[in-house]
Amino acid sequence: MYGNAGFRIHSEFERPPRNLVDAFKGIPVANIADNMNRTFCIGRKIRPYNTAPLIGCAFTVKTRLGDNLLLHKAIDLGSPGDVIVVDGQGDTTNALIGELMITWAQKRGIVGFIIDGAIRDAGVIKQMSIPVYAAGVTPAGPYKDGPGEINIPISCDGVTINPGDILVGDDDGVVVINPKDAPEILEKARKTVAKEAEIMAAIKNGTWDRTWVDAALREKGCEFIDATKKEGN
């Protein structure tokens, strides 16, 4: 029986097959989100601090404001291919992670960080090959007292993330994929990529069909004022 709510570590959870996660490589986050009814995108507050693409499996952490004791433990527990996601409640008073911790995590095979809180050493992180997303930057360091929890459902800027969710990130932001939905979403996203390639080709050769715009406006009852005047004359 558990006896210390808010200060617990769950070491094990079910991870999706690695080939399923890797299948999303190279697919723009926007294309994936469009096939998830344009939802499940982590909010605009969480931004990338370098250009490294993010793809991996969520390893979740909930921390007390400004405290990174559980984040240190998460880095030691995480497996290669994990993305450590931290619910720091959006507080940017104290940085939860910096160059040393990220370098150690990368050495252990961790493939990314999403911090709903602050980071520091931003200049170095900008040059790193491991993707780091965060809500802000501050030079003020963290405390190491706890409490917190590891591998529970968390909220990251408005989106629920469960341990084992598939995370894909690029310059636009991060999308969260339930592994159960992933095969269907992957198939749809690939079709979207192919369709957009066709549209881009049509744009470049000047043949993009734009008649749908006026058709949609008329269907929704939009009044074309100038056109009406011309018809009256």
Side-chain angles (χ1 to χ4, degrees), residues 174-225:
V174 179
V175 66
V176 182
I177 307 166
N178 186 320
K180 294 180 180 179
D181 299 325
E184 180 183 359
I185 294 167
L186 176 63
E187 181 180 357
K188 290 180 177 179
R190 283 173 169 169
K191 290 179 180 178
T192 299
V193 171
K195 180 180 178 181
E196 289 197 352
E198 293 176 0
I199 293 173
M200 183 59 72
I203 290 172
K204 290 181 178 180
N205 64 31
T207 61
W208 191 15
D209 182 7
R210 305 293 295 157
T211 57
W212 68 269
V213 178
D214 285 352
L217 290 169
R218 288 192 174 94
E219 181 182 352
K220 296 178 184 299
C222 180
E223 183 179 3
F224 289 70
I225 303 298

Side-chain angles (χ1 to χ4, degrees), residues 59-63 70-71 74 84-88 149-152 154:
F59 188 105
T60 65
V61 185
K62 185 174 180 62
T63 68
L70 273 292
L71 177 51
I84 294 182
V85 190
V86 181
D87 176 1
E149 296 198 81
I150 289 177
N151 287 324
I152 62 167
I154 63 171

